Amino acid sequence: MMPSIPYPDSYEVAAEPYGFDFPTAQTAVIMIDMQRDFILPGGFGASLGNDVGRLAATVPVARHLLDWCRARGMLVVHTKEAHAGDLSDCPLSKLNRGNPSVRIGDPSPMGRILIDGEEGSDFVDELAPLPGEVVIVKPGKGAFHATELGNILSKANITHLLFGGVTTEVCVQTTMREANDRGYECLLIEDATESYFPEFKQATIAMIRAQGGIVGWTAPLSALLLAIPGHLHE
Ligand code: C5J
């Protein structure tokens, strides 16, 4: 294999399929859709019959990832899948898909489902954005589609992205693929992401790192924490 050209001032994470080099000044963390509607009992995900406890278990790991990145001055981006109250940004195809008994925009115990500004569409308390952090409200599964994310990352000179959030095979994977096609080097933090379907999570991780990292890299949070010397036990 040809040796890759190193990024200046970068650190290496022991990742799969091989080491992931990242320069902290050009790295952002993107936390995907850690919203009550997907994670808490009584939300949209639970109403579809999913075991939301699987997703809730990632919240402390996701918080650890965010805090670690915050402590290193990295750009922090939070995304939420949410629509305007009049559903003008929700295509009929999305509204009707799956012939659901409850639809986007319908009332629920946490307000109208996946409508921006409603209780259920907001972030779980532990992962609320801090002042100054970027919040992307996205109508699609991918965070680059119909949002300002691409412009924000290029203005900040970001080249590398760390990913956490839910669900692994839907919004996380879609956004990683969008980012990969745009030239970003992407690392998925394996224990900061989850799916309602464990086999889908495992398949997504395998797909990302297949063929020499066709979509990017994956590593557990512990490997990221070890990457920067002197900060082993935060
Ligand atoms: C889904 C998401 N699964 N955030 N959304 O509809 O992955």
Side-chain angles (χ1 to χ4, degrees), residues 32-35 38 44 48 79 81 94 114 138 140-141 165-172 194 196:
I32 303 280
D33 299 1
M34 294 299 271
Q35 298 163 249
F38 294 121
F44 183 43
L48 297 173
T79 73
E81 183 175 349
K94 185 172 181 185
L114 292 187
K138 61 185 183 61
K141 304 304 181 194
V166 299
T167 59
T168 317
E169 77 280 12
V170 186
C171 292
V172 175
E194 195 46 85
Y196 299 122

Side-chain angles (χ1 to χ4, degrees), residues 14-234:
E16 293 290 345
Y18 57 94
F20 175 80
D21 286 326
F22 71 105
T24 50
Q26 286 169 249
T27 300
V29 59
I30 304 194
M31 190 55 66
I32 303 280
D33 299 1
M34 294 299 271
Q35 298 163 249
R36 297 181 181 126
D37 261 331
F38 294 121
I39 295 175
L40 295 189
F44 183 43
S47 80
L48 297 173
N50 294 305
D51 173 9
V52 292
R54 295 186 52 79
L55 273 52
T58 64
V59 169
V61 186
R63 174 62 184 267
H64 196 161
L65 170 61
L66 286 182
D67 287 346
W68 189 88
C69 294
R70 286 167 174 147
R72 277 148 197 85
M74 293 181 202
L75 181 73
V76 177
V77 177
H78 307 258
T79 73
K80 55 166 131 164
E81 183 175 349
H83 295 274
D86 63 3
L87 296 175
S88 53
D89 57 359
C90 185
L92 263 184
S93 59
K94 185 172 181 185
L95 209 51
N96 289 330
R97 187 67 52 83
N99 199 18
S101 51
V102 274
R103 285 177 204 272
I104 294 167
D106 282 354
S108 82
M110 289 195 282
R112 292 180 65 203
I113 288 169
L114 292 187
I115 298 298
D116 194 24
E118 298 284 342
E119 184 190 344
S121 78
D122 208 351
F123 302 103
V124 294
D125 292 345
E126 300 88 326
L127 299 174
L130 297 184
E133 293 180 348
V134 176
V135 175
I136 299 288
V137 182
K138 61 185 183 61
K141 304 304 181 194
F144 287 84
H145 167 67
T147 73
E148 278 301 301
L149 179 59
N151 289 335
I152 290 167
L153 296 179
S154 15
K155 275 192 198 134
N157 202 21
I158 296 297
T159 52
H160 290 60
L161 299 172
L162 311 178
F163 281 93
V166 299
T167 59
T168 317
E169 77 280 12
V170 186
C171 292
V172 175
Q173 177 173 214
T174 303
T175 304
M176 260 187 101
R177 287 176 179 271
E178 288 180 325
N180 187 51
D181 281 352
R182 286 164 173 77
Y184 294 97
E185 309 274 26
C186 299
L187 173 69
L188 175 62
I189 303 301
E190 294 160 12
D191 39 351
T193 182
E194 195 46 85
S195 168
Y196 299 122
F197 309 96
E199 66 278 22
F200 288 177
K201 173 177 175 176
Q202 289 317 316
T204 302
I205 287 173
M207 275 186 247
I208 286 167
R209 49 161 101 139
Q211 300 176 72
I214 198 158
V215 179
W217 286 257
T218 81
L221 180 64
S222 58
L224 179 68
L225 304 187
L226 285 168
I228 301 188
H231 297 280
L232 305 185
H233 302 296
E234 285 174 46

Side-chain angles (χ1 to χ4, degrees), residues 9-20:
D9 303 319
S10 65
Y11 297 92
E12 183 176 325
V13 184
E16 293 290 345
Y18 57 94
F20 175 80

